Amino acid sequence: MYETFYNLRVKPFELVPDPKFIYLSKSHKKALTFLDYGIRERAGFILLTGEVGSGKTTIIRDLLNKRYEQLVLAKVFNTRVTSEQLLAMINDDFGLQTQNKDKVTLIRDLNEFLVEQYARGNHPILIIDEAQNLAEELLEEVRMLSNLETSDCKLLQIILVGQPELRTILSAPSLRQLRQRISINCHLQSLNRQETERYIMHRLEVAGNALAVEFPFESLDVVFRYSKGIPRLINIICDFLMLSAFAEEMRVIPVEMVREVIGDLDFDNHFWSATVTVPPGGQPADAGACLQRSAEGSLNQDVSDMLTDISRRMDALENNLGGSQVQTVLNEFQDRFTQLQNNVTSHMAKSDSQIFSLLRKLDEIAVPNKSEIPTDISHESTNVGFVRRVFGGDPFSRRK
């Protein structure tokens, strides 16, 4: 819709996993290297985990585009199945007949197929996506498939792909045999603030015009804060920002537009109301990515971040600044307090107690020269946002 206006070949922020748009952050590059090594060395089990939208599918697709020699691939995406159904899906994706066959026959057919592929010098690989949905007994069935082997190598290599909770499932004592067979272990971290900026510029460049729009520093800060460095959420925000800027015929994305779009998307409630977990032993990315945070937790974190920044800047004001610089910083404080008040207002209907707690925190801030700080920071009502003007009401049909 806006591609011609911005001189782009394609939309830069589509949600479909597309390897040509892959951006290799430090975490993604490490995972891709480990996975490539595991496939080339025919390691038994490979485990890849990451938060929803972190780029697991894109990594796998990019990996498979490397055109490994004599690779024979089967992929399973529906993991809410029985043991027999799982075997049938595996065999079917390998091109074997599955109709009217029981479990024993399915296993025998698979074994014969793998032996045949081994004789031809082929390399069969099974990828199981959304593996966190597999029950423990099904994971044990998957382990048993790895017992199909010759005297010198495994007949089938298995890649388990799933969300962070898969690691918790695999830590169960009953699955220690499977856990011990995992040779390659990768976890995709969220992007940090710098990587988020590079990711956005990278996608614009791949789409045909790295200078299509300009994201000022503060705008990128807000995108990062609400997306928490998750590539899929960055895409959602930026796609709506491009559409909104196109409607206004703008080539610079102001921070006010970012806040408006995020407000229209009801981002905290729609995308962060569910719990986000950290894998055992995993390290969260910058700015609290991969932390357990509900919608209320997100408010507390935003408030904490703002208060910390205000305190730091007040210390700098007290120690270093004077004259006209003081007024500049005080004006910036007013903007930040207004932003803080808007955040509180948006959550007011959910918890009055949070607001009282917030006000107590604000009262405790030691502000030098209080008389110089405006006391009548009023909340201006905002007009209906662009997304609501285009789509009407809540763009995700979420009842308030």
Side-chain angles (χ1 to χ4, degrees), residues 57 107 225 278 315 334 367:
T57 302
I107 294 177
R225 182 189 310 158
V278 180
D315 288 341
Q334 180 176 357
V367 184

Side-chain angles (χ1 to χ4, degrees), residues 266 268-269 295-296 299 303 340-359 379:
D266 194 17
D268 274 345
N269 292 323
E296 290 80 6
L299 170 64
V303 170
L340 183 59
Q341 184 183 34
N342 290 340
N343 278 353
V344 173
T345 302
S346 68
H347 288 81
M348 189 175 297
K350 302 180 70 174
S351 176
D352 288 339
S353 63
Q354 289 180 342
I355 299 174
F356 297 142
S357 174
L358 172 61
L359 292 176
H379 173 68

Side-chain angles (χ1 to χ4, degrees), residues 76 79 86 90 126-131 134 142 158-162:
V76 173
T79 50
L86 179 63
I90 294 171
L126 168 62
I127 298 176
I128 301 179
D129 204 357
E130 302 298 337
L134 291 174
V142 172
I158 301 173
I159 302 177
L160 296 176
V161 183

Side-chain angles (χ1 to χ4, degrees), residues 65-257:
N65 284 342
K66 293 183 180 296
R67 299 179 182 177
Y68 296 98
E69 293 183 1
Q70 297 178 294
L71 194 68
V72 180
L73 186 66
K75 302 180 292 296
V76 173
F77 298 102
N78 181 8
T79 50
R80 296 187 182 276
V81 292
T82 65
S83 174
E84 189 169 328
Q85 289 171 334
L86 179 63
L87 280 168
M89 287 190 298
I90 294 171
N91 284 18
D92 182 68
D93 218 52
F94 274 130
L96 304 177
Q97 292 295 325
T98 60
Q99 291 184 351
N100 303 319
K101 293 188 177 182
D102 59 18
K103 182 176 179 179
V104 174
T105 306
L106 290 170
I107 294 177
R108 186 184 65 239
D109 288 351
L110 178 59
N111 186 63
E112 292 176 352
F113 170 78
L114 295 176
V115 170
E116 179 185 349
Q117 296 305 309
Y118 172 77
R120 295 180 178 180
N122 292 334
H123 182 190
I125 292 182
L126 168 62
I127 298 176
I128 301 179
D129 204 357
E130 302 298 337
Q132 76 279 351
N133 295 328
L134 291 174
E136 286 189 18
E137 55 270 23
L138 283 180
L139 286 169
E140 183 62 17
E141 292 273 2
V142 172
R143 181 190 70 82
M144 295 296 291
L145 292 179
S146 70
N147 289 336
L148 303 175
E149 58 188 3
T150 66
S151 58
D152 58 352
C153 76
K154 297 288 185 182
L155 293 177
L156 179 64
Q157 186 172 21
I158 301 173
I159 302 177
L160 296 176
V161 183
Q163 296 170 22
E165 51 265 36
L166 175 59
R167 293 174 177 266
T168 302
I169 296 170
L170 292 173
S171 67
S174 60
L175 294 175
R176 64 183 180 278
Q177 292 188 32
L178 171 57
R179 190 166 61 249
Q180 291 171 1
R181 295 191 182 194
I182 296 175
S183 304
I184 303 294
N185 190 330
C186 308
H187 179 74
L188 291 181
Q189 303 287 359
S190 304
L191 307 180
N192 61 33
R193 167 60 177 77
Q194 186 178 40
E195 289 171 340
T196 298
E197 179 175 354
R198 291 175 179 173
Y199 173 83
I200 292 172
M201 297 302 105
H202 171 77
R203 293 194 70 103
L204 287 171
E205 182 178 4
V206 173
N209 184 7
L211 303 178
V213 292
E214 177 185 347
F215 285 81
F217 190 86
E218 286 191 350
S219 298
L220 288 168
D221 275 350
V222 177
V223 171
F224 172 66
R225 182 189 310 158
Y226 282 89
S227 69
K228 300 177 177 65
I230 300 294
R232 183 180 298 165
L233 300 187
I234 296 172
N235 288 357
I236 290 173
I237 294 174
C238 289
D239 187 47
F240 275 103
L241 285 175
M242 295 284 288
L243 184 60
S244 183
F246 166 70
E248 304 292 339
E249 296 186 354
M250 299 172 63
R251 297 186 181 274
V252 178
I253 307 292
V255 67
E256 294 80 12
M257 179 180 289

